Amino acid sequence: MSDSIITVDDCSYDTEKFTAEGKALVRALLEADLKLQEASVTVSIMQAATLTLINNLKTHLTEEAKVVRNATEHEE
């Protein structure tokens, strides 16, 4: 299969035969897909970083800093 083949709804198309606008849409689609993959990696990294930061923060939590609330207290 060539790089100029794209499949849409189970049909394959030769993008070399597309109009200039069609080719631009394919390039935009490929760029969007790449950005989505990069964003997925970034989300995974940020989730891991958040868990690490929470675990590090836990070493700084003290009884002295703990907030105790009454069971009958209503928050507004």
Side-chain angles (χ1 to χ4, degrees):
M1 264 202 181
S2 171
D3 287 341
S4 65
I5 303 295
I6 190 169
T7 302
V8 178
D9 295 334
D10 296 323
C11 291
S12 296
Y13 299 90
D14 182 352
T15 61
E16 293 299 317
K17 296 179 180 177
F18 285 6
T19 63
E21 186 177 355
K23 290 176 182 178
L25 288 168
V26 170
R27 284 191 302 275
L29 177 62
L30 293 172
E31 182 68 21
D33 187 56
L34 178 62
K35 296 287 186 185
L36 182 59
Q37 290 176 34
E38 290 171 354
S40 293
V41 169
T42 299
V43 166
S44 295
I45 292 168
M46 293 300 101
Q47 287 173 332
T50 298
L51 292 174
T52 299
L53 291 166
I54 289 170
N55 285 331
N56 287 338
L57 179 62
K58 286 179 181 180
T59 66
H60 298 276
L61 303 180
T62 63
E63 283 298 314
E64 180 181 282
K66 189 181 278 186
V67 176
V68 180
R69 299 179 191 263
N70 288 332
T72 60
E73 185 177 299
H74 296 290
E75 292 184 350
E76 294 181 23

